[in-house]
């Protein structure tokens, strides 16, 4: 950049900062591909939104909570539904007016029940879900074909722990598990597939941990970037992670397809979360601005197909059932997962980027890495849960 | 007479009360409640204090803070002293050395962390790149728990040694030149001059630098928080960081206040001990 363009850019920035009528303030935590797709959606709607993107995870939730506690939060924000139990009961979110939502076609029957239920707290609606984003099983069609795991070009259904281990053994699995929340997601999936209740059924938790230990012993256990690179470059037949990695492999032209998370135990279930629109608490809420905000939410939800290109399953059923989405491949191949989603347990210390995910993730990650036995890990996991449960809930 | 004096210090007093005394009292009040970030707090008595003494995270983060303090303080003091002795010599372009030694101290923490984060990167980081070129193995500067604290201490020494350097340099220039000239006539070697003249005359500065450095190191937060990144490194979390996390990411303002007060008491004890030790000597 030469000096003239630098100065021009500087002046443009300065004028942009102090010109024009302000739009609705909107905060999100999407970077990379999701970030640019969200900006496309924001640009495509009629309502003007001034979007601010903050760093994913703890920094985002700290800032959102502080802004809401001060009562001068943005008009609209993104929240992981799993974090709702830590936000809504504390008064950090304002409820939606159900009639206003209905006027824009945002009603219960148009969202998957598992997600809509989690958008409500104390009998009121606090969130409008945009998507569900479950764990899925990526598979390399060439490698799995050679290993004889395909049937008519698609992955033959995997049932039970033995088939799962055999498949991973034949084609190789790349797994992101080091210092990550993935171990917790895998554990919760396997635990809920056994219909494990509450926190925590010892026998079922141990079954899940033992399987994870076996999987860890036979797979290429790596950090996330390395796992993505391994699968992307065709060195592993399977990759187990959230569907959000899908665009990466599309750009790399990896020969791949995606299947829902296999049913290993008694019932289909898969860990997932959901990005949802919320109204952070404002001390004095302008009814007119709130009405505008709700119409902006409806417009954004209407753009769900753009959002689905990033791999996420649209929560809004009119889009999820549309021909355009059904033709969107490989996304539509795992759409059934939306009916099987299991969010984090509905407690205030769980959810995306929470204490539970990082503490449990470290313990379960050690099982996958082979440095901790499932029995020891179970004890640690229970100690973590006791500690979190005994922590007084903040007022 | 006395009244006019009061009015002269009043502007300072108002700010002092508003921004130090009142917040401290509010914090003390919060530490005996279950104050969150919203809503009404309930009085819980000493529950927060009881909880913190049983909270392993309090002890581990306090331990990390102490390790950081006992490793970084001597390093910073010695490096600062060494640089001051070097820069005090009659060499050409002395201002350049002085500027170079002091410059890192002027950088904001975010810049310091940005620089060192790149230096420490695996694969393409300058340090690891150099190590592999020399045929040595890579070091996981920030990725292994054992190395992370060392890396943070190195960064901190590089960043803050300039402060001690400045105080030592000023003190060195206070020492009368005649002392050196007279001792040289008596046949004292430079090493003897350092031991018998420079060091004894720097003793007041030593005390000042050491106590200021201990207090600064105990309060460490920013470079650890920034260097450990999103997930944090469990082996290096400092007590101030744990206070921040309790209050601002777990929303337990009351509990965070209680930890702050225990930590405050600890610092006060250290300051008091130092005061006693130095007061007796005078």
């Amino acid at each position: 950049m030469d000096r003239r363009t630098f100065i021009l850019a500087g002046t443009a920035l300065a004028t942009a900062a102090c010109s024009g009528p302000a739009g609705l303030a909107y905060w999100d935590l999407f970077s990379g591909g999701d970030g640019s797709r969200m900006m496309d959606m924001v640009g495509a709607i009629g309502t003007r939104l001034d979007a601010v993107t903050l760093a994913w995870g703890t920094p985002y939730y700290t800032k959102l909570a502080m802004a809401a506690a001060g009562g001068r939060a943005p008009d609209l924000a993104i929240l992981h539904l799993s974090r709702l139990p830590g936000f809504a009961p504390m008064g950090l979110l304002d409820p939606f007016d159900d009639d206003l939502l209905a006027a824009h076609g945002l009603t219960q029957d148009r969202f998957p029940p598992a997600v809509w239920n989690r958008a409500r707290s104390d009998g009121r609606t606090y969130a409008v879900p945009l998507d569900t984003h479950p764990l899925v099983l990526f598979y390399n069609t060439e490698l799995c074909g050679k290993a004889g795991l395909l049937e008519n070009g698609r992955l033959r259904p995997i049932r039970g722990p033995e088939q799962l281990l055999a498949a991973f053994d034949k084609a190789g699995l790349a797994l992101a598990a080091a210092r990550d929340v993935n171990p917790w997601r895998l554990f919760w999936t396997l635990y809920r597939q056994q219909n494990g209740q509450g926190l925590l059924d010892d026998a079922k938790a141990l079954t899940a941990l033992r399987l994870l230990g076996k999987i860890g012993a036979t797979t290429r256990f790596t950090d996330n970037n390395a796992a993505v690179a391994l699968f992307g470059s065709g060195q592993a037949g399977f990759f187990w992670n959230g569907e959000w990695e899908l665009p990466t492999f599309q750009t790399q032209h990896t020969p791949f397809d995606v299947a829902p998370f296999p049913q290993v135990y008694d019932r289909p279930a898969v860990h997932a979360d959901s990005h949802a629109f919320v109204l952070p608490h404002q001390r004095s809420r302008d009814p007119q601005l709130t009405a505008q905000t709700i119409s902006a939410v409806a417009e954004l939800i209407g753009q769900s197909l753009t959002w689905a290109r990033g791999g996420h399953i649209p929560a809004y059923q009119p889009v999820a059932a549309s021909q355009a989405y059904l033709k969107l491949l490989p996304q539509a191949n795992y759409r059934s997962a939306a009916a099987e989603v299991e969010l984090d347990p509905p407690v205030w210390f769980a959810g995306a980027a929470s204490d539970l995910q990082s503490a449990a993730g470290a313990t379960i990650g050690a099982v996958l890495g082979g440095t901790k036995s499932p029995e020891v890990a179970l004890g640690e996991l229970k100690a973590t849960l006791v500690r979190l449960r005994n922590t007084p809930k903040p007022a | 007479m006395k009244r006019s004096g009061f009015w002269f210090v009043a502007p300072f007093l108002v700010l002092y009360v508003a921004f130090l005394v009142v917040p401290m009292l509010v914090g003390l009040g919060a530490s005996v409640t279950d104050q969150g970030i919203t809503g009404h707090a309930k009085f819980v008595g000493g529950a927060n204090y009881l909880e913190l003494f049983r909270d392993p995270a309090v002890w581990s983060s306090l331990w990390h803070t102490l390790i950081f303090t006992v490793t970084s303080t001597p390093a910073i003091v010695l490096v600062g002293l060494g640089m001051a002795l070097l820069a005090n010599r009659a060499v050409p372009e002395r201002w350049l050395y002085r500027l170079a030694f002091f410059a890192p101290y002027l950088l904001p923490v975010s810049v310091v962390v940005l620089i060192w984060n790149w230096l420490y990167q695996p694969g393409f980081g300058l340090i690891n790149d150099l190590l592999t070129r020399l045929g040595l193995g890579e070091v996981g500067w920030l990725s292994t728990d054992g190395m992370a604290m060392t890396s943070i201490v190195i960064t901190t020494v590089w960043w803050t040694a300039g402060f001690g350097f400045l105080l030592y340099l000023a003190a060195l220039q206070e020492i009368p030149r005649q002392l050196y000239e007279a001792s040289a006539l008596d046949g004292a070697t430079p090493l003897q001059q350092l031991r018998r003249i420079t060091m004894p005359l720097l003793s007041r500065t030593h005390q000042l630098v050491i106590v200021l450095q201990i207090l600064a190191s105990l309060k460490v937060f920013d470079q650890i928080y920034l260097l450990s990144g999103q997930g944090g490194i469990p082996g290096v979390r400092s007590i101030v960081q744990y206070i921040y996390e309790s209050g601002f990411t777990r929303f337990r303002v009351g509990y965070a206040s209680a930890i702050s007060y225990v930590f405050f008491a600890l610092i006060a004890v250290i300051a008091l001990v130092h005061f006693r030790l130095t007061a007796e000597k005078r």
Side-chain angles (χ1 to χ4, degrees), chain A residues 16 24 26 28 47 59 91 107 149 151-152 184 191 196 223 255 274 276 318 334 347 391:
Chain A
L24 297 166
Y26 163 58
D28 71 28
T47 316
T107 45
L149 296 166
E151 200 174 78
N152 305 325
W184 163 257
Y191 182 70
D223 70 38
S274 164
Y334 54 86
V347 286
T391 306

Side-chain angles (χ1 to χ4, degrees), chain A residues 15-64:
Chain A
T15 36
C18 54
S19 73
L24 297 166
Y26 163 58
W27 285 9
D28 71 28
L29 41 56
F30 301 119
S31 56
D34 275 352
S36 67
R37 273 180 291 275
M38 180 50 81
M39 285 311 111
D40 288 347
M41 291 159 69
V42 165
I45 65 170
T47 316
R48 183 168 158 201
L49 293 180
D50 292 333
V52 173
T53 300
L54 301 165
W56 190 95
T58 322
Y60 177 78
Y61 284 113
T62 300
K63 291 182 178 96
L64 185 64

Side-chain angles (χ1 to χ4, degrees), chain B residues 19 36 66 136 148 151 186 196 254 271:
Chain B
F19 293 107
L66 291 179
L136 302 164
S151 309
D186 288 340
R196 304 288 170 117

Side-chain angles (χ1 to χ4, degrees), chain A residues 55-59 61-63 65-66 68-70 83 86-87 90-92 179 348 353 355 358 387 390-395, chain B residues 34-42 48 51 55-56 142-145 225 230-234 242 244 247-252:
Chain A
W56 190 95
T58 322
Y61 284 113
T62 300
K63 291 182 178 96
M66 291 299 142
R83 290 294 292 246
F87 268 71
M90 285 169 65
L92 295 174
R179 243 185 222 160
W348 68 273
D355 271 6
S358 58
R387 176 175 64 79
N390 288 345
T391 306
K393 184 180 171 176
Chain B
D34 65 348
Q35 178 79 53
I37 56 168
T38 57
H40 302 288
K42 225 172 40 248
N48 286 330
E51 184 185 342
D55 184 350
L142 293 172
S143 52
T144 49
D145 281 355
Y225 181 73
Q230 174 73 252
I233 304 174
Y242 187 60
Y244 165 79
F248 294 100
T249 69
R250 292 189 202 96
F251 312 148
R252 301 187 64 208

Side-chain angles (χ1 to χ4, degrees), chain B residues 85-139:
Chain B
L85 289 171
L86 287 175
N88 197 38
R89 296 174 67 87
V91 287
E93 308 301 328
R94 199 158 60 162
W95 63 271
L96 183 66
Y97 295 98
R98 294 186 179 177
L99 177 68
F101 287 157
F102 188 62
Y105 187 65
L106 300 173
L107 296 177
V109 63
S110 46
V111 176
V112 173
V113 167
L114 206 62
I115 294 172
W116 283 89
N117 213 351
W118 282 101
L119 291 176
Y120 286 143
Q121 282 306 308
F124 58 84
L126 186 69
I127 303 176
N128 276 331
D129 186 56
L130 213 65
L131 288 177
T132 40
R133 273 167 208 266
L134 291 172
L136 302 164
E138 286 210 1
V139 174

